[in-house]
Structures are given as C-alpha cells and as structure tokens.
Amino acid sequence: MRTRRTTTSLEDQPMPVRVELAAAWTSFMFLYAYVDILNFFTPGTIEDILDGRVFEFALSQTFSTTALTLMAIPILMVVLSITLPARVNRIANLIVASLYVPVTAFNVLGESWLYFYGLGVALELILLALILRYAWTWPRTAPSATVATSPGHETVHGQ
C-alpha cells in the first residue's frame, strides 16, 4: 500500500538587520582568523616570526597592541550590532566597515601566495560590502500620524 506524502513549503521569515550584521561580522572574523592561521603554513612565515618580523613590521608590544586593536574592533561589532540603538548601530556599521575595506585590501600587498590571499581578501571584502548594504538599507519606520477631528467634525491629520 502506498501512502501519499504531502509537502509543505518552509516559512522564510525575514531576518532582522541586527542579526544580519552580527552574522556578517562573525563570518568576517572567522575568515580573517583562518587566513592568518593558514598563513603559518606558508614557507618562511614561522622563521620570520622567530626572527621578530611580521610582513615588514618588527614584532613589538606596539605591533601586538595595534594588531589586537585592529581585530578587537570587528570582534566588538558582533555584539554592538545586536545591542546598539538603531541609529547609532547603522552609523557605526557604515563607518567601521568603510574603514576596514582599505585595511583588508592592504593584507594582500606583498604576499607571494596571491591565490590564497586574494581569495581570503575577496571574501572578506564581499562580507564588508554586505555589512555596508545591510546598514545602508536599514528599514525605516513611517512617521506616526495622529488623527483628530475639529469642532466642525472635519478630520485633521498631524504628525
């Protein structure tokens, strides 16, 4: 005996902008960290680090503090995208993502493994573009209107 299956379509609920932003920042940070981790397998990288150099920079407390700050900002954007008020949230995402476009693009300069770094940077730039798009197109609410009647029973609209 055959039973007939009925299929129903899944409900595709709209995603809140805050969640989209937090997810994009999270993905950005995973990519950024993973590219850095995989970079340790690039020939010569460990030797350079042991010699006290990263790219063209001497390893120092200043370098490490700068690197931490550069990474802490997008890490904090994950939680700030969920918790900041809408207006501040939108502005913060537009500013931070805009500033990280050149920072991200800089990471491909001088690298010998262009396919690897090129792919990593391209994916990170796509995520930054999504963040800019989500923040730029943040839905707005219509201004509330009040309706009243005048003494002559005419409808008066006000904002």
Side-chain angles (χ1 to χ4, degrees):
M1 184 163 146
R2 266 184 147 176
T3 59
R4 185 172 182 210
R5 287 188 173 179
T6 58
T7 59
T8 59
S9 56
L10 298 173
E11 182 180 352
D12 195 9
Q13 297 180 342
M15 188 67 56
V17 176
R18 294 173 188 274
V19 174
E20 291 175 328
L21 289 166
W25 281 115
T26 302
S27 296
F28 175 83
M29 288 310 307
F30 272 119
L31 269 170
Y32 205 101
Y34 202 66
V35 168
D36 278 354
I37 291 166
L38 284 176
N39 179 51
F40 291 129
F41 298 103
T42 306
T45 299
I46 299 297
E47 291 82 7
D48 288 347
I49 292 170
L50 293 174
D51 287 340
R53 299 200 67 69
V54 171
F55 185 55
E56 297 292 322
F57 305 105
L59 285 174
S60 65
Q61 184 166 270
T62 301
F63 172 84
S64 294
T65 303
T66 303
L68 176 61
T69 302
L70 275 174
M71 291 302 85
I73 293 168
I75 289 168
L76 291 173
M77 287 306 295
V78 175
V79 71
L80 293 176
S81 294
I82 297 292
T83 59
L84 285 175
R87 178 176 294 246
V88 176
N89 199 334
R90 179 177 185 262
I91 292 168
N93 274 281
L94 289 170
I95 290 171
V96 174
S98 295
L99 292 174
Y100 270 80
V101 168
V103 169
T104 300
F106 172 80
N107 287 326
V108 81
L109 295 179
E111 292 299 336
S112 59
W113 286 29
L114 283 181
Y115 294 135
F116 170 69
Y117 277 102
L119 177 60
V121 166
L123 293 172
E124 291 167 11
L125 289 173
I126 289 168
L127 287 166
L128 290 170
L130 280 174
I131 291 166
L132 289 167
R133 181 179 178 272
Y134 294 151
W136 187 260
T137 61
W138 194 301
R140 302 187 188 286
T141 57
S144 61
T146 56
V147 178
T149 55
S150 66
H153 301 295
E154 301 163 353
T155 303
V156 178
H157 296 276
Q159 287 191 6

